Amino acid sequence: MIVKESGSKEQVRENLKDGEGKVKFFNFLHPEDMTNCRLMSKMVLQPKTSIGEHTHIDETEYYYILSGTGMVIDNGEKRRVSTGDLVVTKNGEAHSVVNDGTEPLEIFAMIVTN
């Protein structure tokens, strides 16, 4: 199976996890079409947009930074991220992300279930 980004389903979520602004998702597959995974998406955060802090239970989330820069709070520690970085949030860990740059922050996100 090959899934093209142009065929992905676009979704916009406002104030995601009590964050600011609107996060645009390009969902490659529906959760029922994946095994041990509940999210596989490209997310786009415009400047000043954020995803609020949240904890992952019985799953691990991976953020691969496709383009842009931002600030991630990784288990209470602020860490700057940029193109090519991978953020791993394991079972029981918490994170948030904000686009504090001037360009869109594009992230490939995948949540793998335990």
Side-chain angles (χ1 to χ4, degrees):
M1 173 191 311
I2 297 172
V3 179
K4 301 225 181 250
E5 182 179 354
S6 61
S8 63
K9 182 179 179 190
E10 185 178 328
Q11 175 187 34
V12 176
R13 296 180 61 188
E14 195 165 351
N15 305 114
L16 187 60
K17 305 290 184 183
D18 292 326
E20 298 293 326
K22 297 178 182 177
V23 178
K24 190 180 289 188
F25 284 80
F26 296 90
N27 298 310
F28 292 100
L29 294 168
H30 293 252
E32 59 271 7
D33 295 329
M34 297 183 276
T35 303
N36 299 325
C37 187
R38 72 173 184 86
L39 177 75
M40 188 174 297
S41 298
K42 180 173 96 170
M43 301 185 307
V44 179
L45 288 76
Q46 294 299 322
K48 299 182 180 154
T49 299
S50 64
I51 299 171
E53 188 172 15
H54 58 284
T55 302
H56 286 274
I57 304 297
D58 294 329
E59 61 190 21
T60 299
E61 185 165 31
Y62 301 90
Y63 283 171
Y64 179 74
I65 309 302
L66 297 167
S67 65
T69 61
M71 183 66 68
V72 169
I73 297 181
D74 179 32
N75 291 303
E77 291 187 44
K78 287 185 178 182
R79 298 181 185 264
R80 177 137 310 277
V81 294
S82 59
T83 303
D85 290 344
L86 178 68
V87 179
V88 180
T89 306
K90 297 179 183 178
N91 180 36
E93 295 181 344
H95 67 153
S96 65
V97 62
V98 61
N99 180 351
D100 60 358
T102 58
E103 301 293 325
L105 175 60
E106 295 189 353
I107 300 169
F108 177 78
M110 183 167 69
I111 298 176
V112 177
T113 57
N114 294 346

